[in-house]
């Protein structure tokens, strides 16, 4: 029995499959979650890249709980997709590309918090951020847009890799 | 005929959405098969609306979007439409949340710069939306959720213009920015975009239809 088959056989997976309205509502909230995530993270990223001057970086960061809320919404709904039909994802290259970019975006955010976080307050609302900030901001927005890209293209890209 | 149409819809679980899970396309094919004898009874003639839809769907660009083997056609149009959604609604959400009182440290006037990307995103979604519609116009032209979605999008854009007017073009009245009026508009804006997103997604699931195709 493969890992995928084992998941499919669990009671949880069977229950999720039996709830007919679940998939469409999970998709809707997955879209709402991605909108919040891209909107609020993108806003901070733009500021880190040197756009949106006049906004202190610390102020843009105050929206991050809502980005995390959007991400959490997508983890929950995303897990419901995976547990309902695991074979659709474990057999799909775009799914792994998406997961890879989530990891890259996460590590990038962690690097920003732990290594650059202390310098945020030293940068004025109208200052052009240092190059390290611009790189982190660019990497962040590119990674999250890649997550969106591979997620939406999932049914069309690199199916049947197993 | 209306009576029979309603029964068919109920039988497929469209109105209740619980009984049967079937892809939209499958349902449409079955629905079409059921409808065929009714058409024969009434008339074989197509309405003017359906003739226009056929003309749209048979245009070379629509055929390319619908049938091209490359991922640059239908899949890319869908993906661009989602990018546009994230940028337009995501940026609008930043403005709305600020007006609702989150991150008060964020000064409001610089948020006006978000309108540039938002208008670009709106243009992308208008273009990709029209192309996606054309690729299956005979079916999509009758999908009720599409029109529900368009109404919500139109209302959300009107609210956005209103916010732009009272919040970003009122240098003389800075108090307007934090007025309860602005917060109500922001809350309304979020609700309308959520409703538009919901009805857009449900185009694929709630196959309430104007009927005859």
């Amino acid at each position: 029995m493969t890992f995928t088959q084992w998941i499919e056989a669990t009671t949880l997976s069977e229950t999720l499959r039996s709830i007919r309205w679940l998939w469409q509502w999970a998709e809707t909230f997955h879209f709402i979650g991605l909108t919040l995530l891209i909107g609020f993270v993108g806003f901070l990223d733009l500021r880190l890249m040197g756009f949106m001057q006049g906004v202190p970086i610390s102020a843009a960061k105050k929206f991050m709980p809502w980005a995390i809320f959007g991400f959490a919404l997508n983890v929950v709904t995303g897990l419901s997709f995976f547990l309902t039909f695991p074979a659709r994802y474990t057999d799909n290259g775009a799914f792994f590309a998406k997961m890879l970019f989530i990891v890259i975006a996460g590590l990038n955010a962690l690097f920003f918090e732990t290594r650059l976080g202390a310098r945020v307050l030293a940068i004025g609302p109208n200052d052009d951020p240092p190059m390290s900030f611009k790189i982190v901001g660019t990497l962040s927005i590119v990674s999250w847009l890649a997550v969106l890209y591979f997620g939406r293209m999932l049914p069309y890209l690199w199916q049947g890799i197993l | 005929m209306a009576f029979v149409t309603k029964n068919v819809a109920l039988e497929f679980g469209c109105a209740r959405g619980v009984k049967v899970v079937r892809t939209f396309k499958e349902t449409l094919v079955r629905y079409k098969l059921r409808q065929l004898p009714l058409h024969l009874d009434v008339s074989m003639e197509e309405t003017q609306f359906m003739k226009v839809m056929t003309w749209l769907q048979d245009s070379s660009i629509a055929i390319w979007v619908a049938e091209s083997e490359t991922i640059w056609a239908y899949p890319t149009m869908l993906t661009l439409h989602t990018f546009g959604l994230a940028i337009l609604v995501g940026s609008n959400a930043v403005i709305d949340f600020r007006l609702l009182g989150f991150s008060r440290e964020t000064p409001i006037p610089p948020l006006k710069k978000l309108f540039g990307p938002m208008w670009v995103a709106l243009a992308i979604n208008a273009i990709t939306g029209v192309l996606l519609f054309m690729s299956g116009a005979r079916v999509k032209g009758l999908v009720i959720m599409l029109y529900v979605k368009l109404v919500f999008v139109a209302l959300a854009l009107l609210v956005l213009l209103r916010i732009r007017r009272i919040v970003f073009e009122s240098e003389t009245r800075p108090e307007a920015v934090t007025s309860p009026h602005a917060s109500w508009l922001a809350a309304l804006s979020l609700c309308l975009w959520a409703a538009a997103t919901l009805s857009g997604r449900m185009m694929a699931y709630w196959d309430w239809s104007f009927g005859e195709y």
Side-chain angles (χ1 to χ4, degrees):
Chain A
M1 188 189 259
T2 65
F3 176 63
T4 309
Q5 286 167 335
W6 174 75
I7 292 178
E8 270 171 4
T10 58
T11 321
L12 178 60
S13 181
E14 277 171 15
T15 312
L16 291 174
R17 269 196 299 281
S18 71
I19 309 170
R20 297 305 190 190
W21 47 264
L22 186 76
W23 188 276
Q24 63 210 47
W25 283 95
E27 276 192 351
T28 301
F29 283 105
H30 208 68
F31 272 75
I32 291 174
L34 84 84
T35 304
L36 294 174
L37 177 66
I38 299 275
F40 290 115
V41 168
F43 181 63
L44 174 61
D45 291 340
L46 284 177
R47 185 63 191 91
L48 294 179
M49 290 162 77
F51 302 104
M52 298 304 301
Q53 290 193 3
V55 177
I57 294 177
S58 56
K61 272 185 73 183
K62 288 273 160 66
F63 287 115
M64 283 313 101
W66 292 103
I68 294 166
F69 172 73
F71 182 72
L73 209 54
N74 280 21
V75 169
V76 172
T77 52
L79 268 176
S80 85
F81 299 141
F82 185 86
L83 293 174
T84 306
F85 294 115
R88 278 188 196 173
Y89 302 97
T90 51
D91 190 28
N92 187 302
F95 172 71
F96 290 103
K98 173 173 175 168
M99 292 305 122
L100 175 70
F101 277 104
I102 291 176
V103 171
I104 292 173
L107 290 175
N108 185 52
L110 193 68
F111 174 80
F112 176 70
E113 274 301 308
T114 55
R115 298 298 161 93
L116 303 178
R119 288 163 62 191
V120 163
L121 287 175
I123 299 165
N126 293 305
D127 288 350
D128 196 34
M131 188 48 79
S132 55
F133 279 58
K134 290 184 180 175
I135 292 169
V136 165
T138 310
L139 188 58
S140 171
I141 194 67
V142 168
S143 310
W144 286 119
L145 290 177
V147 171
L148 171 54
Y149 178 81
F150 287 112
R152 197 67 190 87
M153 293 293 271
L154 208 143
Y156 309 103
L157 273 179
W158 308 331
Q159 273 182 320
I161 56 166
L162 289 183
Chain B
M1 186 175 157
F3 170 75
V4 181
T5 307
K6 196 178 160 201
N7 270 358
V8 169
L10 286 172
E11 197 179 317
F12 285 129
C14 315
R16 308 236 177 268
V18 279
K19 286 274 183 277
V20 197
V21 166
R22 216 175 260 141
T23 68
F24 190 30
K25 226 171 205 169
E26 273 177 312
T27 311
L28 287 174
V29 169
R30 281 157 191 267
Y31 192 40
K32 211 169 183 176
L33 290 175
R34 285 295 189 90
Q35 285 250 307
L36 212 52
L38 302 179
H39 278 287
L40 290 174
D41 282 352
V42 182
S43 155
M44 287 299 287
E45 200 151 311
E46 288 214 308
T47 59
Q48 201 60 37
F49 176 76
M50 289 314 287
K51 282 179 187 158
V52 175
M53 292 302 110
T54 307
W55 175 74
L56 284 174
Q57 191 170 324
D58 290 346
S59 63
S60 50
I61 184 124
I63 291 171
W64 177 76
V65 172
E67 292 171 22
S68 168
E69 294 288 315
T70 75
I71 59 160
W72 299 107
Y74 196 82
T76 298
M77 296 306 138
L78 269 183
T79 304
L80 285 175
H81 205 69
T82 314
F83 272 93
L85 159 73
I87 293 166
L88 172 60
V89 183
S91 306
N92 200 339
V94 172
I95 294 171
D96 292 337
F97 273 66
R98 174 60 191 87
L99 293 177
L100 283 169
F102 296 98
S103 182
R104 287 185 195 277
E105 299 88 334
T106 302
I108 289 173
L111 298 182
K112 196 176 181 181
K113 290 175 219 162
L114 289 174
F115 279 89
M118 282 161 78
W119 296 143
V120 173
L122 177 64
I124 290 172
N125 275 24
I127 293 165
T128 53
V130 166
L131 289 173
L132 289 167
F133 177 88
M134 285 171 70
S135 74
R138 284 178 58 85
V139 169
K140 288 179 183 162
L142 294 168
V143 173
I144 290 175
M145 288 316 289
L146 170 65
Y147 299 97
V148 173
K149 166 181 165 168
L150 289 177
V151 168
F152 281 128
V153 170
L155 291 174
L157 290 172
L158 285 176
V159 171
L160 177 61
L161 288 175
R162 186 82 194 127
I163 287 174
R164 187 183 156 88
R165 234 179 91 88
I166 72 160
V167 174
F168 293 98
E169 285 167 7
S170 62
E171 287 98 1
T172 48
R173 294 187 308 120
E175 74 280 1
V177 166
T178 47
S179 71
H181 186 44
S183 334
W184 278 111
L185 282 175
L188 182 61
S189 163
L190 289 171
C191 293
L192 287 169
W193 283 125
T197 308
L198 172 70
S199 29
R201 196 77 295 268
M202 292 310 175
M203 281 171 64
Y205 297 101
W206 296 349
D207 31 11
W208 297 321
S209 161
F210 287 115
E212 302 156 47
Y213 40 81

